[in-house]
């Protein structure tokens, strides 16, 4: 609703027409479907239409009107197009001298009222009416030709969204190569839709594999079912499907991932194991979530054949690479990798473990979830519902004679304390934290409650990282960027005149995005004696960062600038994924 969502909600709350819990639920749903707050409250049954109209009428000093008692003069409709009336949910009802009386759903939508004033050249007198009554009157009184023309336009747009060619593109032509491993018995699946839905579900998975997708989103709305792929870190729409197949497609995916197809009220998590061709197996981690219009499904694609475990190919520059290799070869200490979700932290850790995975070492990991299985590494799936937390797993690890321990994430003081003590007692510990840069990781540990002395003695290396999209080599072209922009971005004044920037124009090979593939940007901070001293003295993250840069650390932005100069990525992409204080 254009009535500021919080304003209307707070007014209704103050009038005791809804509870705070009802308001929070309505706002949450409104954010998902983009509809007016009033409409959501009505749909949820938290308020009735009569109460809402009475409240709005009193609040905005706009008389309420029952449209069924009024005959509308159709000549008043001519200046206001059908699409405008439908968009703003309003209709002229009569003239009152120099003023035009207009029935609206939302009396606070000044933009809509101003547009009607501009179209008619008249003063506007606002009345409040029920949404259902206004929409019914619009369909009833507007000329049939105008309604049919707008409906035909909407229909053509809908047909364009549902083109058969698009469907065939997603389904693909080699579905016989797909085999679902250990598929759940589908006796409850409706047989009349079995074949096409099975074909569609397999096609969505197969096309994701072919297009380097990391996540598949299947999202229901009121009128359609949208499929989006996250490719190179960015979500892109790939298909819009009729809403009538929502339940069948959802049930099919649940069957494939061993979930309860009868449970639609609670979130569920599962896994699809898929065989692609003769010897390629791919996992999909499946999550379902009930929303207003049905269950949303997100599938994370886990393809071990695409997992890059070669440290030399991850994007490290020579000096940081050497620092990292030296750190993981140490017999004890803590190495921390930091960055937001989806920044490649797990890949970096797996690459380090792959380097260390030798018969002479006992490597143990605690993960939530275990994304890839590796021979020679003892991997433990965290199960907080039964008490198997990161801290509990770590305690058990220390009784299992480990050499190397990997903790999926340090989330609390207990886990941090055990990990630090393990690093101090002769174990190499690798883990992740969520901070913006490497220096902030030190202060985060101290803020968690770890003593500065223990932090300085245990942490030997911190890596902050981001993933930046690479320019598509097929449509790459030089792109002019002003010296001012380059200087502002952090380029050295000595080189701005000679810097050549590139961007992708967009082509079929990169789905017209201009980017294909990703490369990691790294900020590697080795904890040298100077930094240890600063940690003991309680220095701030900003002070630690300044000293680390003096000692040779390249920041994330500087790492990105190097990739721009090399023509690997664009300046726009670096500005998107990094920032400088």
């Amino acid at each position: 609703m254009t009535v500021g969502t919080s304003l209307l909600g707070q007014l209704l709350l103050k009038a005791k027409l809804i509870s705070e819990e009802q308001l929070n639920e309505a706002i949450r749903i409104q954010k998902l479907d983009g509809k007016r707050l009033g409409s959501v409250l009505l749909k949820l049954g938290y308020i009735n239409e009569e109460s809402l109209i009475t409240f709005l009428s009193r609040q905005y000093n706009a008389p309420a009107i029952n449209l069924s008692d009024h005959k509308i003069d159709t000549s008043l409709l001519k200046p206001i197009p059908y699409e405008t009336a439908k968009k703003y949910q309003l209709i002229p009802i009569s003239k009152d001298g120099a003023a035009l009386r207009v029935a609206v759903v939302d009396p606070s939508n000044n933009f809509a009222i101003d547009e009607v004033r501009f179209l008619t050249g008249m003063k506007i007198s606002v009345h409040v009416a029920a949404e259902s009554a206004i929409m019914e009157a619009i369909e009833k009184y507007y000329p049939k030709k105008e309604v049919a023309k707008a409906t035909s336009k909407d229909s053509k747009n809908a047909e364009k969204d549902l083109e058969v060619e698009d469907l065939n593109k997603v389904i693909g032509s080699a579905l016989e190569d797909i085999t679902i491993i250990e598929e759940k018995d589908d006796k409850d699946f409706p047989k009349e839709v079995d074949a096409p839905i099975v074909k569609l579900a397999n096609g969505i998975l197969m096309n994701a594999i072919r297009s380097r997708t990391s996540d598949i989103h299947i999202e229901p709305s009121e009128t359609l079912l949208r499929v989006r792929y996250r490719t190179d870190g960015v979500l892109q729409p790939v298909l819009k499907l009729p809403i009538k197949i929502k339940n069948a497609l959802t049930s099919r995916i649940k069957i494939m991932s061993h979930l309860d197809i009868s449970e639609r009220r609670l979130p569920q998590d599962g896994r699809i194991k898929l065989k692609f061709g003769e010897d390629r197996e791919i996992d999909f981690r499946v999550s379902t979530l009930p929303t207003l219009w049905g269950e949303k499904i997100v599938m994370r694609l886990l393809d071990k054949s695409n997992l890059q475990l070669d440290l030399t190919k991850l994007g490290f520059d020579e000096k940081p690479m050497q620092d990292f290799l030296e750190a993981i070869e140490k017999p004890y200490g803590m190495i921390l990798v930091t960055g937001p979700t989806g920044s490649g932290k797990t890949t970096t850790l797996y690459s380090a473990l792959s380097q260390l995975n030798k018969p002479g070492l006992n490597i143990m990991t605690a993960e939530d979830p275990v994304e890839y299985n590796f021979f020679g590494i003892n991997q433990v799936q965290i199960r907080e519902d039964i008490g198997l937390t990161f801290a509990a797993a770590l305690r058990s690890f220390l009784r299992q004679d480990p050499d190397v321990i990997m903790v999926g994430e340090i989330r609390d003081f207990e886990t941090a304390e055990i990990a630090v003590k393990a690093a101090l007692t002769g174990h190499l510990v690798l883990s992740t934290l969520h901070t913006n840069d490497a220096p902030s990781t030190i202060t985060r540990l101290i803020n968690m409650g770890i003593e500065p002395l223990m932090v300085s003695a245990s942490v030997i290396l911190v890596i902050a990282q981001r993933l930046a999209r690479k320019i598509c080599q097929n449509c790459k072209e030089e792109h002019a960027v002003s010296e001012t922009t380059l200087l502002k971005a952090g380029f050295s004044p000595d080189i701005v005149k000679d810097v050549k920037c590139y961007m992708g124009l967009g082509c079929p090979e990169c789905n017209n995005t201009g980017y294909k593939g990703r490369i990691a940007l790294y900020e590697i901070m080795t904890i040298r004696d100077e930094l240890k001293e600063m940690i003991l003295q309680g220095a701030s993250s900003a002070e630690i960062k300044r000293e680390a840069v003096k000692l040779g650390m390249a920041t994330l932005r500087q790492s990105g600038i190097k990739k721009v100069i090399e023509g690997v990525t664009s300046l726009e992409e670096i500005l998107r994924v990094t920032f400088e204080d």
Side-chain angles (χ1 to χ4, degrees):
M1 191 173 198
T2 338
V3 182
T5 51
S6 58
L7 174 61
L8 175 61
Q10 291 303 322
L11 291 172
L12 289 170
L13 192 62
K14 189 176 180 181
K16 297 185 178 178
L17 292 174
I18 58 172
S19 68
E20 191 167 350
E21 292 76 14
Q22 290 172 334
L23 174 60
N24 291 336
E25 175 68 7
I27 290 174
R28 183 185 68 78
I29 292 171
Q30 186 204 23
K31 287 178 180 177
L32 293 173
D33 67 13
K35 289 188 174 293
R36 299 165 45 253
L37 184 62
S39 295
V40 176
L41 288 166
L42 288 171
K43 186 174 182 66
L44 292 171
Y46 293 159
I47 190 170
N48 62 48
E49 205 162 47
E50 185 179 346
S51 298
L52 182 60
I53 292 169
T54 303
F55 173 79
L56 291 172
S57 173
R58 186 174 63 248
Q59 188 66 41
Y60 294 98
N61 196 27
I65 189 168
N66 186 348
L67 289 181
S68 60
D69 297 337
H70 287 73
K71 185 174 181 180
I72 293 173
D73 182 356
T74 54
S75 66
L76 301 175
L77 307 180
K78 290 180 182 178
I80 304 171
Y82 169 80
E83 290 95 335
T84 302
K86 192 173 178 181
K87 176 182 177 182
Y88 294 121
Q89 297 176 316
L90 56 81
I91 190 167
I93 46 178
S94 63
K95 283 174 69 174
D96 186 7
L100 178 67
R101 298 170 67 210
V102 179
V104 300
V105 173
D106 177 4
S108 75
N109 190 343
N110 294 324
F111 185 83
I113 294 164
D114 286 344
E115 185 155 344
V116 173
R117 185 182 293 114
F118 173 77
L119 290 169
T120 61
M122 301 178 69
K123 292 181 179 179
I124 305 300
S125 174
V126 175
H127 296 252
V128 186
E131 180 179 341
S132 56
I134 288 179
M135 299 311 290
E136 185 180 327
I138 289 172
E139 301 300 324
K140 178 180 178 181
Y141 288 105
Y142 268 89
K144 300 303 178 192
K145 287 184 179 180
E146 194 170 344
V147 174
K149 183 179 178 182
T151 305
S152 173
K153 183 179 177 183
D154 290 342
S155 176
K156 285 178 181 177
N157 288 336
E159 286 172 9
K160 188 176 180 182
D161 287 336
L162 301 171
E163 285 178 351
V164 176
E165 289 79 8
D166 290 341
L167 189 59
N168 287 337
K169 180 182 176 183
V170 170
I171 290 177
S173 59
L175 296 182
E176 62 274 9
D177 289 341
I178 282 186
T179 305
I180 308 300
I181 302 173
E182 298 175 356
E183 184 173 356
K184 182 181 177 182
D185 180 17
D186 64 352
K187 61 181 183 298
D188 296 324
F189 191 68
K191 295 298 177 185
E192 66 273 12
V193 295
D194 189 289
I197 292 299
V198 168
K199 189 177 181 184
L200 174 62
N202 288 355
I204 289 171
L205 300 185
M206 185 176 209
N207 198 54
I209 295 167
R210 288 172 167 170
S211 59
R212 314 178 323 278
T213 291
S214 62
D215 300 88
I216 304 169
H217 291 241
I218 300 176
E219 305 162 319
S221 66
E222 187 174 11
T223 56
L224 56 84
L225 190 65
R226 180 171 66 166
V227 180
R228 294 192 291 171
Y229 290 168
R230 186 178 294 280
T231 306
D232 295 335
V234 178
L235 272 174
Q236 299 168 349
V238 294
L239 193 66
K240 292 181 180 178
L241 300 167
I243 194 65
K244 63 184 179 182
I245 72 166
K246 173 187 68 177
N247 290 338
L249 183 58
T250 300
S251 295
R252 175 59 191 164
I253 291 171
K254 283 184 172 182
I255 288 166
M256 295 165 72
S257 47
H258 302 269
L259 300 178
D260 183 356
I261 65 172
S262 64
E263 180 55 78
R264 298 179 179 177
R265 300 165 301 169
L266 295 172
Q268 297 187 67
D269 295 303
R271 205 174 185 107
I272 298 172
K273 290 184 74 68
L274 181 148
K275 190 172 183 180
F276 184 55
E278 288 298 319
D279 54 2
R280 186 178 175 191
E281 286 191 9
I282 298 168
D283 283 4
F284 289 82
R285 198 174 75 219
V286 182
S287 170
T288 71
L289 178 71
T291 68
L292 182 63
W293 304 113
E295 291 175 281
K296 171 175 176 171
I297 297 174
V298 175
M299 293 181 274
R300 166 67 57 87
L301 195 156
L302 305 172
D303 184 0
K304 194 171 181 180
S305 64
N306 281 342
L307 183 63
Q308 179 56 263
L309 297 178
D310 186 347
L311 284 171
T312 62
K313 295 180 180 177
L314 290 181
F316 284 104
D317 293 328
E318 188 177 345
K319 179 61 170 64
M321 174 73 177
Q322 191 58 41
D323 290 342
F324 187 35
L325 288 174
E326 286 178 7
I328 65 174
E329 292 297 336
K330 290 184 183 295
Y332 58 87
M334 181 182 283
I335 297 171
L336 295 169
V337 185
T338 182
T341 302
S343 60
K345 299 188 297 295
T346 302
T347 300
T348 300
L349 288 176
Y350 278 156
S351 300
L353 293 179
S354 179
Q355 184 89 1
L356 294 168
N357 191 7
K358 298 165 187 173
L361 290 178
N362 177 19
I363 301 175
M364 309 197 73
T365 75
E367 304 172 58
D368 184 20
V370 175
E371 295 193 351
Y372 299 97
N373 304 319
F374 295 95
F375 177 78
I377 297 177
N378 304 285
Q379 296 171 271
V380 174
Q381 169 69 56
I382 294 304
R383 293 277 306 278
E384 293 193 355
D385 55 328
I386 61 171
L388 183 54
T389 61
F390 282 116
L394 264 175
R395 285 196 199 93
S396 297
F397 285 0
L398 295 176
R399 294 191 289 272
Q400 293 277 322
D401 186 31
D403 295 296
V404 179
I405 296 172
M406 193 270 269
V407 187
E409 183 182 347
I410 293 177
R411 298 175 179 171
D412 51 47
F413 168 73
E414 188 179 14
T415 308
E417 184 181 40
I418 300 169
V420 166
K421 287 179 178 177
L424 291 172
T425 54
H427 306 90
L428 183 64
V429 179
L430 293 86
S431 190
T432 70
L433 273 174
H434 288 285
T435 58
N436 290 327
D437 58 14
S440 300
T441 306
I442 300 298
T443 52
R444 174 66 59 85
L445 282 174
I446 293 171
N447 290 339
M448 278 184 173
I450 306 299
E451 293 293 330
L453 176 62
M454 296 181 73
V455 173
S456 67
S458 60
V459 180
I460 56 176
L461 187 88
V462 182
I463 303 174
Q465 67 181 78
R466 298 289 187 276
L467 290 177
R469 292 178 294 172
K470 294 196 291 186
I471 299 171
C472 173
Q473 297 302 305
N474 190 54
C475 58
K476 177 179 175 180
E477 278 199 4
E478 191 172 336
H479 170 57
V481 178
S482 70
E483 290 184 17
T484 304
T485 302
L486 292 173
L487 288 169
K488 192 175 179 181
F491 283 73
S492 168
D494 302 335
I495 64 169
V496 289
K497 290 184 179 179
D498 301 319
V499 170
K500 290 184 178 179
C501 293
Y502 298 87
M503 66 181 297
L505 297 180
C507 65
E509 195 168 316
C510 61
N511 292 323
N512 294 310
T513 63
Y515 298 96
K516 186 176 180 181
R518 289 190 288 178
I519 191 161
L521 310 178
Y522 291 100
E523 177 178 284
I524 296 187
M525 185 174 76
T526 303
I527 308 301
R528 307 188 191 281
D529 291 341
E530 295 90 339
L531 295 181
K532 288 182 180 182
E533 188 62 33
M534 292 186 73
I535 294 168
L536 289 171
Q537 293 172 1
S540 67
S541 58
E543 291 170 330
I544 293 172
K545 183 174 184 176
R546 281 195 293 270
E547 183 64 27
V549 170
K550 282 183 187 177
L551 294 171
M553 181 188 81
T555 65
L556 284 166
R557 174 61 63 84
Q558 289 167 346
S559 176
I561 286 173
K562 193 167 188 292
K563 297 294 187 291
V564 172
I565 293 170
E566 292 170 357
V568 176
T569 188
S570 67
L571 178 60
E572 179 186 36
E573 182 67 3
I574 294 307
L575 295 176
R576 183 181 74 87
V577 300
T578 69
F579 70 93
E580 291 286 71
D581 296 332

